[in-house]
Amino acid sequence: MIRKIHAVLPHILFVLLIYLILQPSLEGTDEYWALLAVVVAIELALLVKRKSLVAADIGIIVFLFLIVWEYLTAKAGVKNPLLYPAPENVFAIFPEDYEKILEGVASSLRLMFTAFGLALLFGVGLGLIVGLSDRLANTVMPIVRVVSPIPPIIYSPYAVALLPSFRSASIFVVTMTIFWPIFMNMVLGVREIDRKIMDSARTLNLKKSTMILQVLLPYSLPGILNSVSVSVSTSFLVLTAAEMIGGTSGLGWYIKYHADFANFTKVIFGIIMIGIVVTLLNALLAALKKLLIRWR
Amino acid sequence: MSKIDLKDIFLDYQENGHDFHALEGVSFSVENGEFVSIIGSSSCGKSTTLNIMAGLYEPKSGSFRIDGVETRGTGKNRGVVFQHYSLFPWMTVKKNIQFGIRQNFPGLSKNELSNKAQEYLEKVGLRGFEHKYPYQLSGGMQQRAAIAKTLAMETDILLMDEPFGAVDAKNRVILQDLLLNILDSTDRKKTVVFVTHDVDEAIFLSDRILFMNRKKIEREIPVPFERPRHRERLALNADYQQLRRKIVDLFYYDEEENLHELEGGAGI
């Protein structure tokens, strides 16, 4: 019985929310359609996942939040609309501003992917070189343990001064955030590979390149991918912070730019967009992990 | 000339800054096509000896020859089956076998590679499991795949380090039969060195048993039974039982001696 109510509750809240939206003040405007679209999209997602209790819980929380938000801002009118924009106004930013937003997302993502590419290239490459030599590893790793905990965002003022453009400075800082975990995992993978696997590989008389590509890399891949997924959120934080400090494009810049004009409607929308982008990135990475590490 | 020849092999290892002897003058030889088991209690040095032959360890002194040639390091003339991890966990069963073949026959086309792998897969009864990853197989099936991989490399010498040590009793017997069947059916006779601590396994499989104790070969025991061997018939054979008793006694004899030493030590 309780279970049944539990499953129906989000849909009841959905109807309540729709009732709230249908109040005459909004009808027919862009804002009205934007809010309606978001709410219906969430309801559709819930209907697809209707077997899952967790989805129902999440639905309840999201709808409750939207009801309270909508009621307090648009209906009761208790707050200053400049500081506390109504949900319809926030969601309506997308049809109004989508070109700029998508451009911002694309710009942020391009920067992220460039940084990830560089970090993977250098992290795996240098990690292999250092990991394969006792002497190098013994020399380099104590230094790495001192340097790697320094938060890379600290380098940004200096990087801006040294590097030709703000964008390259951002790439450098974000790359550093992801580089360390990948590098450390690669060195660890090479140096602490299970001796039994190593013995087995050695008895096959592998060429060095085969040993690296077919044994050491696949062995280290799970560790590397784990460290990458941990650093996705951190690196996005670093990236948006960098964009806020001095970027001319990207989501961080979008938020900072509109905050300067006290357009908090757009600020809130930008924050929601960042949440969506990070979630999508994480989902992408999870899918990649599933694809590449089928063997565990 | 013997196929494999070890003479006065010594090996030390370090632990906590102290030197320990791992092998103290191991000498024996194995003839071409012979199946020899090395047997002994834990840490007697049997696996270490096999690792020397595999080329994974370098002896401190002594001579290790294959076909009369002094040998160091791993080589394409030897295939090794371990108790664990003879397969790479990130490759499917068939990919593992193909990977092994490719190292010894780099000239093969993709098709030839696949056919050869399939042939050995079927020899060990793993048809239908080509695309499974090792973690999806039972321990016994993993060892079947490991044997297929090593046999497919078609080396003269087969080194096996307790390959059935982690397999349950029933599958162990099945795998022993399988191994003997395959070895009997191949045209080119393989030379096999097989490390085990299971007396029955050693007798059933071998032409000769080397009993190792205290880091050296202490006894050489010929196994006179004709091939092909039948497990049930062998078990009823009085000679078999006598031989078995003799080897089991070797294990216990030493243990008693150790006990005496311990008691003597405690008295001082």
Side-chain angles (χ1 to χ4, degrees):
Chain A
M1 187 61 190
I2 289 175
R3 232 181 125 89
K4 266 210 175 124
I5 294 172
H6 189 147
V8 179
L9 193 55
H11 306 300
I12 296 173
L13 290 173
F14 168 70
V15 174
L16 199 67
L17 187 53
I18 291 294
Y19 170 76
L20 212 58
I21 296 169
L22 289 182
Q23 297 298 305
S25 60
L26 271 178
E27 213 166 331
T29 58
D30 275 356
E31 285 79 8
Y32 168 80
W33 291 115
L35 182 55
L36 215 55
V38 169
V39 172
V40 169
I42 297 172
E43 173 66 11
L44 284 179
L46 279 181
L47 284 176
V48 170
K49 291 250 173 197
R50 66 179 168 282
K51 294 258 163 61
S52 156
L53 268 184
V54 176
D57 284 341
I58 294 172
I60 291 168
I61 289 177
V62 170
F63 282 142
L64 269 181
F65 174 74
L66 284 175
I67 287 171
V68 171
W69 186 10
E70 170 70 11
Y71 181 76
L72 288 181
T73 53
K75 299 299 183 286
V78 288
K79 293 294 179 193
N80 175 358
L82 205 65
L83 276 176
Y84 302 97
E88 59 264 29
N89 295 329
V90 170
F91 297 135
I93 300 295
F94 190 76
E96 180 193 325
D97 235 8
Y98 74 94
E99 269 178 44
K100 239 193 267 167
I101 291 279
L102 291 184
E103 213 176 276
V105 170
S107 159
S108 295
L109 284 183
R110 267 200 306 275
L111 207 149
M112 280 282 282
F113 285 130
T114 311
F116 265 91
L118 286 172
L120 266 176
L121 190 73
F122 284 103
V124 169
L126 292 175
L128 270 172
I129 294 172
V130 170
L132 284 171
S133 150
D134 281 341
R135 191 169 163 194
L136 255 183
N138 291 335
T139 316
V140 171
M141 288 319 274
I143 302 173
V144 166
R145 272 189 276 278
V146 175
V147 179
S148 63
I150 300 172
I153 192 82
I154 296 299
Y155 301 132
S156 45
Y158 192 43
V160 169
L162 278 187
L163 293 167
S165 66
F166 186 80
R167 194 172 171 81
S168 54
S170 307
I171 291 177
F172 170 77
V173 171
V174 178
T175 304
M176 290 307 283
T177 317
I178 319 160
F179 168 80
W180 287 121
I182 294 179
F183 173 80
M184 307 267 256
N185 264 285
M186 192 65 225
V187 173
L188 218 70
V190 174
R191 295 192 66 73
E192 301 193 353
I193 183 169
D194 194 320
R195 226 203 62 202
K196 286 171 186 152
I197 288 189
M198 202 58 192
D199 280 353
S200 180
R202 282 175 63 201
T203 59
L204 296 176
N205 300 294
L206 305 181
K207 281 185 291 187
K208 191 134 195 170
S209 58
T210 313
M211 180 69 108
I212 290 171
L213 291 174
Q214 307 256 33
V215 179
L216 294 177
L217 273 183
Y219 180 84
S220 313
L221 195 61
I224 291 174
L225 280 183
N226 276 335
S227 63
V228 167
S229 40
V230 170
S231 26
V232 161
S233 305
T234 326
S235 60
F236 213 78
L237 178 118
V238 170
L239 167 62
T240 41
E243 285 170 347
M244 287 179 89
I245 293 169
T248 51
S249 64
L251 285 172
W253 167 81
Y254 183 89
I255 291 170
K256 176 78 173 75
Y257 179 82
H258 291 292
D260 286 346
F261 291 102
N263 189 342
F264 296 111
T265 315
K266 292 196 174 180
V267 169
I268 292 175
F269 185 74
I271 291 171
I272 293 175
M273 277 313 283
I274 287 181
I276 292 174
V277 170
V278 173
T279 307
L280 288 181
L281 273 178
N282 277 322
L284 184 77
L285 212 65
L288 195 70
K289 230 156 70 175
K290 217 169 172 178
L291 185 78
L292 288 177
I293 313 175
R294 272 167 301 179
W295 49 273
R296 288 220 291 209
Chain B
M1 184 174 58
S2 305
K3 185 75 186 169
I4 304 173
D5 197 41
L6 279 77
K7 202 167 244 145
D8 274 327
I9 296 281
F10 280 80
L11 182 75
D12 293 346
Y13 68 94
Q14 276 206 331
E15 206 175 278
N16 305 329
H18 295 282
D19 272 341
F20 291 93
H21 299 302
L23 297 175
E24 298 182 355
V26 171
S27 302
F28 64 91
S29 47
V30 183
E31 301 311 312
N32 194 18
E34 199 181 13
F35 194 124
V36 169
S37 286
I38 304 179
I39 196 169
S41 22
S42 311
S43 72
C44 67
K46 52 190 194 301
S47 283
T48 312
T49 306
L50 195 100
N51 280 332
I52 294 239
M53 288 187 270
L56 295 173
Y57 297 163
E58 293 249 320
K60 187 178 107 187
S61 65
S63 134
F64 165 45
R65 289 164 192 268
I66 294 176
D67 294 322
V69 180
E70 192 67 39
T71 304
R72 290 288 183 274
T74 59
K76 289 186 196 291
N77 50 1
R78 284 155 285 160
V80 190
V81 181
F82 298 96
Q83 189 172 358
H84 297 287
Y85 287 121
S86 297
L87 306 170
F88 293 131
W90 52 87
M91 293 180 192
T92 61
V93 168
K94 191 164 180 185
K95 286 267 164 61
N96 258 296
I97 299 176
Q98 288 181 339
F99 187 70
I101 300 172
R102 203 182 304 133
Q103 309 314 317
N104 276 17
F105 303 95
L108 288 187
S109 73
K110 235 181 159 173
N111 248 339
E112 292 169 314
L113 203 63
S114 169
N115 290 342
K116 204 181 189 70
Q118 193 64 32
E119 178 196 330
Y120 280 94
L121 248 161
E122 289 178 13
K123 267 190 192 178
V124 298
L126 280 181
R127 181 205 284 260
F129 293 91
E130 292 86 349
H131 305 301
K132 297 276 182 209
Y133 285 95
Y135 84 95
Q136 295 168 308
L137 302 182
S138 69
M141 291 210 275
Q142 286 181 16
Q143 287 314 80
R144 277 171 197 255
I147 290 171
K149 174 187 176 186
T150 311
L151 286 176
M153 295 171 71
E154 299 187 345
T155 55
D156 294 348
I157 297 171
L158 201 55
L159 303 172
M160 308 182 88
D161 190 0
E162 302 201 43
F164 311 142
V167 178
D168 65 83
K170 185 184 156 207
N171 274 301
R172 175 181 271 247
V173 167
I174 295 172
L175 284 169
Q176 290 164 4
D177 288 335
L178 179 87
L179 177 64
L180 277 197
N181 280 335
I182 294 176
L183 288 177
D184 285 344
S185 67
T186 35
D187 319 325
R188 211 155 44 123
K189 266 301 220 178
K190 280 189 192 299
T191 307
V192 186
V193 180
F194 189 102
V195 165
T196 178
H197 56 255
D198 182 327
V199 176
D200 291 303
E201 183 170 80
I203 301 176
F204 181 63
L205 295 174
S206 329
D207 301 313
R208 195 152 49 99
I209 294 174
L210 306 175
F211 180 78
M212 249 188 119
N213 191 23
R214 303 175 184 205
K215 328 289 184 199
K216 59 178 116 178
I217 306 285
E218 211 161 63
R219 291 288 168 88
E220 291 199 26
I221 306 139
V223 182
F225 308 113
E226 288 213 345
R227 290 176 193 273
R229 293 175 183 166
H230 298 278
R231 189 179 302 277
E232 293 82 4
R233 249 180 275 162
L234 210 55
L236 297 173
N237 187 328
D239 290 341
Y240 172 85
Q241 284 162 10
Q242 203 185 349
L243 181 65
R244 189 179 186 283
R245 170 88 34 83
K246 183 178 157 189
I247 298 171
V248 170
D249 280 349
L250 283 176
F251 279 89
Y252 285 106
Y253 172 73
D254 188 58
E255 230 159 67
E256 272 171 29
E257 217 168 56
N258 279 338
L259 275 179
H260 284 310
E261 272 176 20
L262 278 177
E263 283 164 11
I268 295 169

